[in-house]
Amino acid sequence: MARSTVQWTTYQLVKMKDQINFDLPFQRRYVRRKDRSWQSLLMHTVLTDGYIPNLLVWKNGEVLDSSASKPKYIYYAVDCLQRLNTLFLFIEDGFALSDDIPLVGEQSVAGMKFSELTDELQQAIRNYSFAVTIFDESYSLEDVEEIFYRVNQTKPLSDIEQSQVLLGEDNRSVLKHITDSTLFRNVNFTKADLEGYVDRKTAVQVIALLSGRDMSFSGKDMKLYMREIGKTPIDPEIVAEIEKLSEYMMEGFQDWTSKMFKSLKKSVVPSLFITARKANELDLPAAAFGQWAQKFLIDEYDKDSEFGETLSRKTANKEVIQRRTDLMVQSMESFANAVAQSN
């Protein structure tokens, strides 16, 4: 079986549009049609002459018009439907680039359609060269179906895994430093959690709450927040406070058993830092904070209580996060008042 790889520019692909067939029986629909973020990222890659994986097409010998003196061969999209549809749609002004798209050089293209770009940027899109791998007629439908299946076996990246790229090396190092702390290593993160960077996601949630960020912890909002942080250094004062509060809490938890730590739910951790901050403001000794945490989060924890419900339903919802935090702080303040009165 033979295959070849050629270079086709956007200009050439547009001229060949009627020769590209997207109707192979195993193909997905154009599922990215309403995914403006993905569409914009693809077009930003084109605008900046970035890398796009090879387009895979099947040239099985069929032509558009068998009576034509110079036949136009049909190219069946094997793995390129989402990318080519997005490319064609943008050139036809079918969507505007997202508001948070990065600069192209020093130019902002946010919210722009193709016709609104400068002539220079429009030409950059037309001139972009795609690597196209062509499978010839020696390949059967079953062969290209198997190729499509194997190419698409990659497990998609989660939001937090994608966002690791947005943060840059320095900020990734900060998150690793936080999650390597004794406190984070004792939180009940599973092996799958650690492989999926859930511990780092939790660290970002802690940073968001301590920074006073009013947001949910949904995948979409977390990704937007991490994109906003980008490669700008995470506030060193917040990082220092996290270190201080982590040490304070571990001093209070020094007598906890591994079984007790396993009872500490991941979704509690961000609110726990806010509660520890308040405890520090009240000059509550670390040992007393540990006693409160054991009582409230473990010994007297009731999944049917108001607090328990904040950990079982809509745990990433902004209002639920706020209510969870408020209940923890209120309980700790009552405990601190009782400690102060007993002294």
Side-chain angles (χ1 to χ4, degrees):
M1 291 187 288
R3 65 180 182 271
S4 59
T5 298
V6 298
Q7 297 293 136
W8 287 344
T9 64
T10 299
Y11 176 77
Q12 290 174 291
L13 286 166
V14 170
K15 288 189 69 175
M16 296 171 59
K17 187 176 177 182
D18 62 340
Q19 295 174 251
I20 301 172
N21 187 299
F22 296 112
D23 295 329
L24 286 175
F26 54 78
Q27 272 291 358
R28 295 185 296 172
R29 295 172 296 164
Y30 181 31
V31 296
R32 297 290 192 177
R33 182 179 298 277
K34 295 184 178 181
D35 191 345
R36 193 172 167 212
S37 177
W38 186 90
Q39 293 172 324
S40 298
L41 190 61
L42 177 71
M43 294 316 304
H44 185 268
T45 303
V46 172
L47 282 162
T48 55
D49 197 29
Y51 170 71
I52 293 176
N54 288 25
L55 308 180
L56 307 185
V57 300
W58 180 37
K59 179 185 174 185
N60 67 357
E62 294 181 18
V63 295
L64 283 177
D65 183 358
S66 58
S67 64
S69 57
K70 187 176 181 181
K72 286 186 174 182
Y73 288 100
I74 295 173
Y75 296 89
Y76 285 92
V78 177
D79 190 71
C80 58
L81 183 151
Q82 309 300 324
R83 288 169 286 171
L84 286 182
N85 271 296
T86 298
L87 181 71
F88 295 151
L89 187 63
F90 184 67
I91 287 176
E92 295 166 359
D93 274 357
F95 67 92
L97 299 173
S98 61
D99 294 333
D100 59 352
I101 189 171
L103 296 176
V104 176
E106 296 182 356
Q107 297 183 58
S108 172
V109 294
M112 291 186 181
K113 293 184 176 181
F114 177 79
S115 63
E116 297 169 330
L117 297 173
T118 63
D119 291 343
E120 179 186 4
L121 291 181
Q122 288 184 19
Q123 197 59 41
I125 291 176
R126 293 190 187 98
N127 290 342
Y128 184 85
S129 183
F130 290 87
V132 184
T133 296
I134 304 171
F135 303 102
D136 70 10
E137 58 267 22
S138 63
Y139 285 78
S140 68
L141 176 62
E142 289 75 18
D143 292 329
V144 293
E145 185 174 40
E146 180 67 16
I147 291 168
F148 175 82
Y149 173 77
R150 295 192 180 200
V151 167
N152 287 281
Q153 282 305 293
T154 304
K155 183 181 177 181
L157 296 175
S158 67
D159 290 325
I160 184 65
E161 289 170 331
Q162 293 177 30
S163 299
Q164 290 295 301
V165 180
L166 301 174
L167 290 172
E169 181 58 30
D170 289 343
N171 284 339
R172 286 196 298 270
S173 296
V174 169
L175 293 183
K176 186 176 185 302
H177 176 70
I178 292 171
T179 56
D180 281 345
S181 68
T182 306
L183 176 65
F184 267 79
R185 284 191 281 109
N186 276 284
V187 174
N188 189 27
F189 292 111
T190 65
K191 182 179 179 181
D193 287 339
L194 296 174
E195 290 174 349
Y197 294 121
V198 175
D199 56 338
R200 295 192 188 184
K201 179 179 179 179
T202 303
V204 174
Q205 293 170 347
V206 171
I207 292 168
L209 283 192
L210 289 176
S211 302
R213 178 77 176 203
D214 184 26
M215 59 179 278
S216 79
F217 289 162
S218 67
K220 178 182 177 181
D221 281 1
M222 288 293 296
K223 190 172 180 180
L224 286 173
Y225 180 54
M226 282 185 270
R227 177 175 290 173
E228 182 181 310
I229 294 173
K231 296 176 174 61
T232 303
I234 296 170
D235 186 346
E237 290 187 7
I238 293 294
V239 176
E241 184 178 16
I242 290 173
E243 293 176 353
K244 176 184 174 183
L245 294 175
S246 295
E247 293 173 1
Y248 168 77
M249 285 189 273
M250 279 311 301
E251 183 182 346
F253 302 161
Q254 60 182 320
D255 294 328
W256 281 27
T257 63
S258 58
K259 183 178 179 180
M260 292 167 68
F261 275 110
K262 284 184 178 180
S263 300
L264 188 60
K265 298 181 181 295
K266 297 183 286 285
S267 50
V268 163
V269 174
S271 299
L272 191 59
F273 271 86
I274 295 294
T275 311
R277 171 193 269 177
K278 185 63 178 178
N280 266 237
E281 293 172 0
L282 297 174
D283 293 325
L284 185 68
F289 182 82
Q291 292 169 8
W292 163 79
Q294 179 179 340
K295 178 182 178 183
F296 185 77
L297 299 175
I298 301 173
D299 296 344
E300 297 181 1
Y301 172 72
D302 179 0
K303 63 182 179 64
D304 295 321
S305 66
E306 183 179 5
F307 174 71
E309 289 183 353
T310 70
L311 297 174
S312 60
R313 292 187 296 177
K314 298 181 179 179
T315 58
N317 178 275
K318 181 170 65 174
E319 287 73 26
V320 173
I321 294 166
Q322 186 60 56
R323 186 58 184 153
R324 180 190 309 143
T325 305
D326 289 345
L327 289 169
M328 290 174 65
V329 170
Q330 290 165 12
S331 173
M332 184 279 300
E333 287 177 331
S334 296
F335 185 87
N337 287 335
V339 169
Q341 289 174 10
S342 66
N343 292 335

